[in-house]
Amino acid sequence: MMTYPSSWEFYKEVETKILWVNICAQDLEGVAISINKWWKTRYPAYKIRIVSKKEFELIKMKAEKKEQ
């Protein structure tokens, strides 16, 4: 499951209960508050990991290979 909110993107890893988040915006403080609210409301059982764009893409590629 993947979505592209206006200032971040995420990948939900169901088996490990980890949300991988890449912040796309420059306003990190405002985005951090929004992500925290969203995470606590929608995925309270998940751990959250904020990662770089490069790491985010690697995680997605690994997951796609696993699904094949």
Side-chain angles (χ1 to χ4, degrees):
M1 166 118 190
M2 171 107 105
T3 188
Y4 289 92
S6 57
S7 46
W8 77 85
E9 57 186 342
F10 78 98
Y11 176 75
K12 183 174 74 172
E13 205 170 74
V14 178
E15 56 279 350
T16 58
K17 288 204 176 285
I18 294 177
L19 290 172
W20 297 96
V21 179
N22 174 50
I23 298 175
C24 308
Q26 298 301 315
D27 173 26
L28 298 181
E29 185 178 330
V31 173
I33 292 167
S34 297
I35 290 173
N36 198 40
K37 249 185 184 174
W38 163 82
W39 165 44
K40 295 288 185 186
T41 306
R42 291 216 36 211
Y43 301 103
Y46 281 69
K47 292 178 182 163
I48 192 167
R49 298 287 181 264
I50 306 293
V51 295
S52 67
K53 179 71 174 174
K54 187 177 179 181
E55 191 173 351
F56 185 81
E57 294 300 330
L58 285 172
I59 290 160
K60 282 190 340 190
M61 282 191 329
K62 283 181 188 176
E64 287 168 4
K65 283 183 183 176
K66 206 188 266 188
E67 290 174 5
Q68 292 177 353

